[in-house]
Amino acid sequence: ARCECRADDWAVEHLVSRDDMVEAVSHGYTTPWELSDVLDIPIEHVQKAYELYFVRRNNDREEKLWREERHLD
């Protein structure tokens, strides 16, 4: 399971960067479907990228922006 998690992380990091995610959100793309379209990646990878970049790595500022844009707070 640990190797699978590492493989998922590697795939996400090579498909979309944290900066690309932050930039897309700052331009108003806030739903998984919008982000999937603008970043040209599957929705599953949008969700994994969010978890990797904003939850597990605990980037508070970007996570707050993401959550505010999605009206989750």
Side-chain angles (χ1 to χ4, degrees):
R2 184 174 176 169
C3 289
E4 185 177 319
C5 185
R6 285 185 185 169
D8 286 344
D9 290 354
W10 182 90
V12 166
E13 289 174 337
H14 284 80
L15 287 172
V16 62
S17 71
R18 183 176 124 287
D19 290 341
D20 289 341
M21 291 278 292
V22 171
E23 183 176 348
V25 170
S26 71
H27 283 93
Y29 301 103
T30 59
T31 68
W33 303 275
E34 291 172 331
L35 290 166
S36 175
D37 287 343
V38 76
L39 298 170
D40 196 30
I41 61 173
I43 290 174
E44 296 81 17
H45 285 96
V46 169
Q47 294 165 329
K48 288 179 182 180
Y50 171 76
E51 180 185 335
L52 175 65
Y53 295 138
F54 306 116
V55 176
R56 292 191 354 225
R57 292 191 179 164
N58 198 21
N59 294 307
D60 294 331
R61 192 180 95 218
E62 289 87 358
E63 182 176 0
K64 183 179 179 186
L65 173 64
W66 175 283
R67 296 183 66 77
E68 285 174 0
E69 291 290 330
R70 296 185 71 209
H71 306 287
L72 297 176
D73 284 334

